[in-house]
Protein backbone atom coordinates (compact mmCIF):
# COMPACT_ATOMS: atom_id res chain seq x y z
CA UNK A 1 0.00 0.00 0.00
CA UNK A 2 1.44 3.34 -1.09
CA UNK A 3 -1.34 5.88 -1.18
CA UNK A 4 -4.43 6.25 0.99
CA UNK A 5 -7.37 8.64 0.99
CA UNK A 6 -9.33 10.15 3.86
CA UNK A 7 -12.81 11.65 3.83
CA UNK A 8 -15.46 12.90 6.24
CA UNK A 9 -19.11 12.20 5.55
CA UNK A 10 -22.52 12.76 7.15
CA UNK A 11 -23.06 15.25 9.97
CA UNK A 12 -19.88 16.95 11.10
CA UNK A 13 -18.60 16.35 14.63
CA UNK A 14 -16.00 18.13 16.77
CA UNK A 15 -12.79 16.08 16.65
CA UNK A 16 -13.06 15.15 12.97
CA UNK A 17 -10.13 17.48 12.23
CA UNK A 18 -8.05 15.82 14.93
CA UNK A 19 -8.84 12.47 13.28
CA UNK A 20 -7.85 13.77 9.81
CA UNK A 21 -4.60 15.07 11.30
CA UNK A 22 -3.89 11.68 12.88
CA UNK A 23 -4.55 9.83 9.61
CA UNK A 24 -2.31 12.22 7.63
CA UNK A 25 0.57 12.33 10.10
CA UNK A 26 0.62 8.65 11.00
CA UNK A 27 0.22 7.75 7.32
CA UNK A 28 3.19 9.90 6.32
CA UNK A 29 5.15 8.59 9.34
CA UNK A 30 4.66 5.07 7.96
CA UNK A 31 5.82 6.14 4.48
CA UNK A 32 2.42 6.54 2.82
CA UNK A 33 1.09 9.36 0.69
CA UNK A 34 -2.22 10.66 2.03
CA UNK A 35 -4.86 12.28 -0.15
CA UNK A 36 -7.83 14.25 1.14
CA UNK A 37 -11.21 13.66 -0.49
CA UNK A 38 -13.36 16.78 -0.14
CA UNK A 39 -17.14 16.77 0.51
CA UNK A 40 -17.45 13.10 1.41
CA UNK A 41 -18.71 10.62 -1.16
CA UNK A 42 -20.06 13.45 -3.38
CA UNK A 43 -16.55 14.83 -3.71
CA UNK A 44 -15.20 11.33 -4.31
CA UNK A 45 -17.57 10.91 -7.27
CA UNK A 46 -16.55 14.34 -8.61
CA UNK A 47 -12.84 13.70 -8.07
CA UNK A 48 -12.33 16.47 -5.50
CA UNK A 49 -9.10 14.89 -4.32
CA UNK A 50 -5.88 16.61 -3.25
CA UNK A 51 -2.65 15.53 -1.55
CA UNK A 52 -2.41 16.42 2.15
CA UNK A 53 0.87 17.36 3.76
CA UNK A 54 2.18 17.38 7.32
CA UNK A 55 1.93 21.17 7.50
CA UNK A 56 -1.50 21.32 5.89
CA UNK A 57 -2.98 19.56 8.92
CA UNK A 58 -1.18 21.86 11.36
CA UNK A 59 -3.31 24.08 13.60
CA UNK A 60 -6.47 22.03 13.18
CA UNK A 61 -6.47 19.76 16.25
CA UNK A 62 -8.49 22.32 18.20
CA UNK A 63 -10.93 23.28 15.44
CA UNK A 64 -14.52 22.07 15.21
CA UNK A 65 -16.12 21.07 11.89
CA UNK A 66 -14.07 19.35 9.20
CA UNK A 67 -11.51 20.97 6.91
CA UNK A 68 -12.44 18.37 4.28
CA UNK A 69 -16.10 19.47 4.41
CA UNK A 70 -18.90 16.97 4.63
CA UNK A 71 -21.95 15.95 2.64
CA UNK A 72 -24.64 13.30 2.46
CA UNK A 73 -24.52 11.80 -1.06
CA UNK A 74 -27.60 10.31 -2.69
CA UNK A 75 -25.61 9.42 -5.81
CA UNK A 76 -23.21 7.19 -3.87
CA UNK A 77 -26.20 5.08 -2.82
CA UNK A 78 -26.53 4.00 -6.46
CA UNK A 79 -24.32 1.47 -8.24
CA UNK A 80 -23.61 4.02 -10.99
CA UNK A 81 -22.46 6.57 -8.40
CA UNK A 82 -20.22 4.06 -6.66
CA UNK A 83 -18.65 3.03 -9.95
CA UNK A 84 -17.78 6.67 -10.68
CA UNK A 85 -16.21 6.91 -7.21
CA UNK A 86 -14.15 3.76 -7.80
CA UNK A 87 -12.92 5.19 -11.13
CA UNK A 88 -11.68 8.29 -9.28
CA UNK A 89 -9.87 6.17 -6.69
CA UNK A 90 -8.19 4.25 -9.53
CA UNK A 91 -7.31 7.47 -11.36
CA UNK A 92 -5.58 8.81 -8.24
CA UNK A 93 -4.05 5.38 -7.48
CA UNK A 94 -5.53 5.35 -4.01
CA UNK A 95 -5.14 1.86 -2.51
CA UNK A 96 -7.14 2.32 0.69
CA UNK A 97 -9.64 4.66 2.24
CA UNK A 98 -10.30 5.96 5.76
CA UNK A 99 -13.89 7.15 6.12
CA UNK A 100 -14.82 9.26 9.13
CA UNK A 101 -18.52 9.49 9.91
CA UNK A 102 -21.56 7.60 11.18
CA UNK A 103 -23.41 4.45 10.19
CA UNK A 104 -24.51 5.89 6.81
CA UNK A 105 -20.83 6.52 6.04
CA UNK A 106 -19.93 2.92 6.93
CA UNK A 107 -22.82 1.52 4.91
CA UNK A 108 -21.41 3.38 1.91
CA UNK A 109 -17.87 2.16 2.57
CA UNK A 110 -18.99 -1.44 3.01
CA UNK A 111 -20.29 -1.38 -0.57
CA UNK A 112 -16.72 -0.77 -1.77
CA UNK A 113 -15.79 -4.34 -0.79
CA UNK A 114 -17.17 -5.52 -4.16
CA UNK A 115 -14.53 -3.40 -5.93
CA UNK A 116 -11.67 -4.60 -3.71
CA UNK A 117 -11.06 -1.17 -2.23
CA UNK A 118 -9.98 -1.59 1.41
CA UNK A 119 -11.86 0.80 3.66
CA UNK A 120 -11.62 1.47 7.39
CA UNK A 121 -14.27 3.46 9.25
CA UNK A 122 -13.66 5.89 12.10
CA UNK A 123 -16.81 6.66 14.11
CA UNK A 124 -17.36 10.42 14.07
CA UNK A 125 -20.80 11.61 15.12
CA UNK A 126 -22.14 13.60 18.05
CA UNK A 127 -24.98 11.08 18.42
CA UNK A 128 -22.87 8.23 19.92
CA UNK A 129 -25.29 5.91 18.14
CA UNK A 130 -22.87 3.41 16.62
CA UNK A 131 -22.96 -0.15 17.84
CA UNK A 132 -19.66 -1.75 18.80
CA UNK A 133 -17.87 1.28 20.25
CA UNK A 134 -18.24 2.83 23.69
CA UNK A 135 -17.79 6.33 22.28
CA UNK A 136 -17.87 8.15 18.96
CA UNK A 137 -15.76 11.22 18.18
CA UNK A 138 -17.70 14.42 18.94
CA UNK A 139 -20.07 13.01 21.55
CA UNK A 140 -18.09 14.26 24.54
CA UNK A 141 -17.85 17.78 23.10
CA UNK A 142 -21.56 17.80 22.26
CA UNK A 143 -22.66 16.79 25.76
CA UNK A 144 -20.36 19.43 27.23
CA UNK A 145 -21.96 22.01 24.92
CA UNK A 146 -25.38 20.86 26.07
CA UNK A 147 -24.60 21.07 29.78
CA UNK A 148 -23.05 24.51 29.28
CA UNK A 149 -26.42 25.63 27.88
CA UNK A 150 -28.43 23.70 30.48
CA UNK A 151 -26.44 25.36 33.30
CA UNK A 152 -27.30 28.75 31.82
CA UNK A 153 -30.95 27.84 31.34
CA UNK A 154 -31.02 26.63 34.95
CA UNK A 155 -30.05 30.15 36.14
CA UNK A 156 -33.07 31.61 34.40
CA UNK A 157 -35.34 28.70 35.37
CA UNK A 158 -34.36 29.25 38.98
CA UNK A 159 -34.90 33.05 38.86
CA UNK A 160 -38.38 32.73 37.35
CA UNK A 161 -39.30 29.44 39.06
CA UNK A 162 -40.13 27.91 35.69
CA UNK A 163 -40.01 24.60 33.92
CA UNK A 164 -37.74 24.37 30.88
CA UNK A 165 -38.07 21.76 28.20
CA UNK A 166 -34.76 21.46 26.34
CA UNK A 167 -34.61 19.51 23.08
CA UNK A 168 -31.27 18.01 22.09
CA UNK A 169 -30.03 16.18 18.98
CA UNK A 170 -29.28 12.49 18.62
CA UNK A 171 -31.40 11.45 15.64
CA UNK A 172 -33.01 8.16 16.85
CA UNK A 173 -30.68 7.76 19.83
CA UNK A 174 -31.03 9.11 23.36
CA UNK A 175 -27.36 9.20 24.41
CA UNK A 176 -26.95 12.98 24.25
CA UNK A 177 -30.11 13.55 26.32
CA UNK A 178 -29.18 10.79 28.74
CA UNK A 179 -25.60 11.84 29.47
CA UNK A 180 -26.27 15.58 29.41
CA UNK A 181 -29.41 15.04 31.48
CA UNK A 182 -27.52 13.17 34.17
CA UNK A 183 -24.60 15.63 34.10
CA UNK A 184 -26.92 18.65 34.09
CA UNK A 185 -29.19 17.36 36.87
CA UNK A 186 -32.33 17.25 34.71
CA UNK A 187 -35.52 16.32 36.55
CA UNK A 188 -36.76 14.17 33.67
CA UNK A 189 -35.04 12.74 30.61
CA UNK A 190 -37.17 11.65 27.68
CA UNK A 191 -35.44 9.37 25.18
CA UNK A 192 -36.68 7.13 22.35
CA UNK A 193 -35.25 4.01 24.01
CA UNK A 194 -37.53 4.55 27.01
CA UNK A 195 -40.15 7.13 26.13
CA UNK A 196 -41.62 8.39 29.39
CA UNK A 197 -45.39 8.85 29.21
CA UNK A 198 -46.63 12.43 29.69
CA UNK A 199 -48.60 11.30 32.75
CA UNK A 200 -45.36 10.18 34.37
CA UNK A 201 -43.56 13.44 33.48
CA UNK A 202 -46.40 15.47 34.96
CA UNK A 203 -46.61 13.27 38.08
CA UNK A 204 -42.84 13.63 38.66
CA UNK A 205 -43.07 17.41 38.24
CA UNK A 206 -46.00 17.65 40.63
CA UNK A 207 -44.16 15.55 43.19
CA UNK A 208 -41.06 17.72 42.97
CA UNK A 209 -43.17 20.90 43.28
CA UNK A 210 -44.72 19.45 46.42
CA UNK A 211 -41.26 18.66 47.80
CA UNK A 212 -40.29 22.32 47.39
CA UNK A 213 -38.57 22.33 43.98
CA UNK A 214 -39.50 25.54 42.24
CA UNK A 215 -37.91 24.91 38.85
CA UNK A 216 -37.20 21.91 36.66
CA UNK A 217 -35.30 20.99 33.53
CA UNK A 218 -36.65 18.33 31.21
CA UNK A 219 -34.28 17.03 28.57
CA UNK A 220 -35.91 15.63 25.45
CA UNK A 221 -34.08 13.73 22.71
CA UNK A 222 -35.22 14.81 19.24
CA UNK A 223 -35.91 11.15 18.37
CA UNK A 224 -38.87 11.13 20.76
CA UNK A 225 -40.94 13.38 18.56
CA UNK A 226 -42.06 16.88 19.36
CA UNK A 227 -40.64 18.77 22.35
CA UNK A 228 -43.05 21.55 21.32
CA UNK A 229 -45.95 19.22 22.12
CA UNK A 230 -44.42 18.28 25.50
CA UNK A 231 -44.02 21.96 26.47
CA UNK A 232 -47.58 22.64 25.29
CA UNK A 233 -49.01 19.88 27.46
CA UNK A 234 -47.16 21.18 30.52
CA UNK A 235 -48.52 24.67 29.88
CA UNK A 236 -52.00 23.19 29.65
CA UNK A 237 -51.44 21.82 33.17
CA UNK A 238 -50.94 25.40 34.32
CA UNK A 239 -47.16 25.03 34.63
CA UNK A 240 -45.06 28.06 33.64
CA UNK A 241 -43.04 26.38 30.90
CA UNK A 242 -40.53 27.50 28.27
CA UNK A 243 -38.95 25.54 25.42
CA UNK A 244 -35.37 25.71 24.11
CA UNK A 245 -34.29 23.75 21.02
CA UNK A 246 -30.49 23.64 21.06
CA UNK A 247 -30.08 22.53 17.43
CA UNK A 248 -26.82 22.74 15.50
CA UNK A 249 -24.94 24.59 18.23
CA UNK A 250 -24.36 21.02 19.49
CA UNK A 251 -22.37 20.14 16.37
CA UNK A 252 -19.87 22.97 16.62
CA UNK A 253 -17.07 24.17 18.86
CA UNK A 254 -13.57 23.22 19.79
CA UNK A 255 -13.32 19.50 20.64
CA UNK A 256 -12.74 18.53 24.27
CA UNK A 257 -9.44 16.93 25.28
CA UNK A 258 -11.27 13.59 25.41
CA UNK A 259 -12.44 13.91 21.79
CA UNK A 260 -9.01 15.05 20.59
CA UNK A 261 -7.31 12.07 22.22
CA UNK A 262 -9.99 9.66 20.98
CA UNK A 263 -9.73 11.04 17.43
CA UNK A 264 -5.93 10.86 17.48
CA UNK A 265 -5.95 7.26 18.68
CA UNK A 266 -8.65 6.18 16.24
CA UNK A 267 -7.14 7.96 13.22
CA UNK A 268 -3.73 6.39 13.82
CA UNK A 269 -5.30 2.96 14.38
CA UNK A 270 -7.18 3.21 11.07
CA UNK A 271 -3.89 3.68 9.21
CA UNK A 272 -2.34 0.78 11.13
CA UNK A 273 -5.27 -1.45 10.10
CA UNK A 274 -4.90 -0.54 6.41
CA UNK A 275 -1.17 -1.27 6.58
CA UNK A 276 -1.91 -4.67 8.13
CA UNK A 277 -4.19 -5.46 5.20
CA UNK A 278 -7.43 -5.15 7.17
CA UNK A 279 -10.52 -3.97 5.36
CA UNK A 280 -14.18 -3.17 5.97
CA UNK A 281 -13.71 -2.73 9.64
CA UNK A 282 -14.57 0.08 12.01
CA UNK A 283 -12.25 1.43 14.66
CA UNK A 284 -13.82 1.25 18.12
CA UNK A 285 -12.95 1.97 21.71
CA UNK A 286 -13.97 -0.55 24.33
CA UNK A 287 -12.85 -0.43 27.93
CA UNK A 288 -10.31 2.22 26.88
CA UNK A 289 -8.70 -0.05 24.29
CA UNK A 290 -8.73 1.01 20.63
CA UNK A 291 -9.60 -1.98 18.44
CA UNK A 292 -11.21 -2.74 15.09
CA UNK A 293 -14.53 -4.53 14.59
CA UNK A 294 -16.30 -5.78 11.48
CA UNK A 295 -18.43 -3.19 9.68
CA UNK A 296 -21.37 -5.59 10.06
CA UNK A 297 -21.27 -5.17 13.84
CA UNK A 298 -21.54 -1.42 13.47
CA UNK A 299 -24.11 -1.40 10.70
CA UNK A 300 -26.42 -4.33 11.35
CA UNK A 301 -26.83 -4.22 15.12
CA UNK A 302 -28.64 -1.40 16.85
CA UNK A 303 -26.75 0.67 19.37
CA UNK A 304 -28.12 0.66 22.92
CA UNK A 305 -27.37 3.46 25.38
CA UNK A 306 -26.32 2.61 28.95
CA UNK A 307 -29.79 2.40 30.46
CA UNK A 308 -28.48 2.28 34.04
CA UNK A 309 -27.73 6.01 33.59
CA UNK A 310 -31.43 6.54 33.03
CA UNK A 311 -32.35 4.71 36.25
CA UNK A 312 -29.66 6.61 38.15
CA UNK A 313 -30.88 9.99 36.92
CA UNK A 314 -34.38 9.13 38.13
CA UNK A 315 -33.03 8.42 41.60
CA UNK A 316 -30.80 11.49 41.74
CA UNK A 317 -33.41 13.96 40.52
CA UNK A 318 -36.04 13.27 43.20
O1 LIG B 1 -26.11 12.82 13.07
C1 LIG B 1 -25.83 14.06 13.61
C2 LIG B 1 -27.06 14.94 13.60
O2 LIG B 1 -26.70 16.19 14.14
C3 LIG B 1 -28.29 14.37 14.31
O3 LIG B 1 -28.21 14.51 15.70
C4 LIG B 1 -29.39 15.16 13.66
O4 LIG B 1 -30.61 14.48 13.72
C5 LIG B 1 -28.90 15.32 12.25
O5 LIG B 1 -27.50 15.14 12.27
C6 LIG B 1 -29.21 16.65 11.61
O6 LIG B 1 -28.77 16.60 10.30
P1 LIG B 1 -28.67 17.87 9.36
O7 LIG B 1 -27.53 18.73 9.84
O8 LIG B 1 -28.42 17.31 8.01
O9 LIG B 1 -29.97 18.60 9.49
Amino acid sequence: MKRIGVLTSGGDAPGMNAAIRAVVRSGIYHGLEVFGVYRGYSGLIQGEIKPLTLRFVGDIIHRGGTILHSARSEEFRTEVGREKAVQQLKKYQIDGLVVIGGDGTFQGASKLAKYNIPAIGVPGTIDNDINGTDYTIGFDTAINTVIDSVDKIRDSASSHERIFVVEVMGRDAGDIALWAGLAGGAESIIIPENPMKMDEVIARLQKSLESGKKHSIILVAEGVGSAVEIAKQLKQQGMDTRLTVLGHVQRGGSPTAFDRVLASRMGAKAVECLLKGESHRMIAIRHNEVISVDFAEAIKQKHQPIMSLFDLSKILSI
Side-chain angles (χ1 to χ4, degrees):
M1 184 160 297
K2 288 200 180 107
R3 189 177 280 181
I4 61 169
V6 57
L7 62 81
T8 48
S9 163
D12 61 346
M16 278 183 162
N17 282 328
I20 295 166
R21 172 181 177 271
V23 170
V24 172
R25 293 211 171 150
S26 63
I28 293 173
Y29 174 85
H30 288 294
L32 297 171
E33 287 179 294
V34 187
F35 277 59
V37 179
Y38 287 75
R39 295 175 187 81
Y41 294 122
S42 302
L44 183 55
I45 291 168
Q46 300 304 323
E48 294 182 58
I49 301 171
K50 287 180 196 154
L52 300 177
T53 62
L54 290 174
R55 298 288 73 84
F56 187 77
V57 293
D59 267 344
I60 64 166
I61 195 166
H62 62 295
R63 280 171 53 191
T66 159
I67 57 161
L68 293 178
H69 303 284
S70 193
R72 303 189 207 269
S73 169
E74 282 305 318
E75 200 181 354
F76 194 75
R77 289 176 199 269
T78 68
E79 185 105 20
V80 177
R82 287 194 292 276
E83 270 163 19
K84 283 189 201 164
V86 170
Q87 286 317 313
Q88 295 290 357
L89 288 170
K90 293 210 166 120
K91 181 174 154 196
Y92 284 88
Q93 296 176 321
I94 291 173
D95 321 302
L97 204 55
V98 177
V99 297
I100 306 169
D103 59 348
T105 306
F106 304 151
Q107 266 164 30
S110 68
K111 303 253 168 63
L112 292 175
K114 183 177 154 196
Y115 304 95
N116 286 327
I117 311 270
I120 299 288
V122 172
T125 163
I126 63 162
D127 300 337
N128 206 42
D129 61 346
I130 312 282
N131 187 59
T133 183
D134 293 345
Y135 298 105
T136 59
I137 297 165
F139 173 64
D140 185 64
T141 308
I143 57 175
N144 276 287
T145 301
V146 173
I147 60 162
D148 185 45
S149 298
V150 166
D151 290 350
K152 288 175 175 137
I153 288 169
R154 184 177 286 285
D155 288 343
S156 182
S158 163
S159 306
H160 288 268
E161 301 183 323
R162 275 177 175 156
I163 292 158
F164 268 85
V165 175
V166 182
E167 186 193 278
V168 297
M169 280 187 167
R171 202 178 290 277
D172 304 319
D175 290 57
I176 296 179
L178 195 53
W179 284 67
L182 182 61
E187 274 65 36
S188 286
I189 302 171
I190 310 183
I191 55 171
E193 294 84 355
N194 193 348
M196 213 187 264
K197 300 240 161 34
M198 264 328 275
D199 292 352
E200 194 187 336
V201 176
I202 292 164
R204 282 177 66 82
L205 281 172
Q206 272 159 353
K207 215 170 153 198
S208 60
L209 278 170
E210 281 158 21
S211 75
K213 259 194 199 180
K214 297 275 190 267
H215 64 276
S216 288
I217 309 273
I218 300 176
L219 248 108
V220 183
E222 63 173 345
V224 162
S226 174
V228 176
E229 187 54 35
I230 292 171
K232 199 168 125 198
Q233 288 194 37
L234 296 179
K235 277 189 183 170
Q236 280 165 358
Q237 293 292 317
M239 296 178 182
D240 190 7
T241 309
R242 293 292 184 274
L243 168 71
T244 304
V245 178
L246 289 182
H248 285 78
V249 70
Q250 295 160 94
R251 288 243 295 263
S254 179
T256 58
F258 180 88
D259 273 332
R260 296 181 199 190
V261 172
L262 182 66
S264 301
R265 291 175 79 187
M266 285 183 159
K269 181 75 176 180
V271 172
E272 222 178 83
C273 288
L274 281 176
L275 285 169
K276 272 201 262 166
E278 286 186 25
S279 180
H280 300 91
R281 296 181 72 75
M282 178 190 79
I283 306 302
I285 186 161
R286 287 190 203 161
H287 311 298
N288 206 16
E289 197 190 345
V290 177
I291 56 169
S292 72
V293 299
D294 200 276
F295 263 156
E297 198 176 326
I299 297 167
K300 299 213 170 101
Q301 293 169 37
K302 197 171 158 37
H303 158 83
Q304 272 301 321
I306 306 172
M307 289 310 288
S308 59
L309 299 183
F310 185 75
D311 302 330
L312 179 62
S313 84
K314 272 182 150 183
I315 295 170
L316 301 184
S317 61
I318 51 173

